[in-house]
C-alpha cells in the first residue's frame, strides 16, 4: 500500500526530498504520491511537519 498526502499539506517539499525512489511530486495545491512507484518505506511520513502524509 502506498502512502497518501492529505489536504493538510503545505507544499513545503520535505517529503519529496526524503523519498528514496522519487515517488512524490508537486501537484495542484499539494504534493502527490505516485502509488506505482512508492515502496511504502515511511520516510516521507517521518519528515512531514504537518502530519499530512499517511499510510493508506
Amino acid at each position: 500500500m502506498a502512502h497518501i498526502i492529505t489536504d493538510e499539506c503545505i507544499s513545503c517539499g520535505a517529503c519529496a526530498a526524503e523519498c528514496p525512489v522519487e515517488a512524490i511530486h508537486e501537484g495542484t495545491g499539494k504534493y502527490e504520491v505516485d502509488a506505482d512507484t512508492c515502496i511504502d518505506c515511511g520516510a516521507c511520513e517521518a519528515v512531514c511537519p504537518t502530519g499530512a502524509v499517511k499510510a493508506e
Side-chain angles (χ1 to χ4, degrees), residues 15-42:
C15 57
E18 194 68 21
C19 182
V21 294
E22 299 180 355
I24 303 173
H25 302 281
E26 193 169 2
T28 305
K30 66 178 183 176
Y31 276 71
E32 298 174 351
V33 177
D34 178 352
D36 293 331
T37 306
C38 179
I39 59 172
D40 203 30
C41 67

Side-chain angles (χ1 to χ4, degrees), residues 1-5 14-16 18-20 24 33 38 40-56:
M1 299 294 281
H3 278 68
I4 59 168
I5 300 177
C15 57
E18 194 68 21
C19 182
I24 303 173
V33 177
C38 179
D40 203 30
C41 67
C44 55
E45 189 173 7
V47 298
C48 181
T50 63
V53 182
K54 310 279 187 201
E56 190 171 46

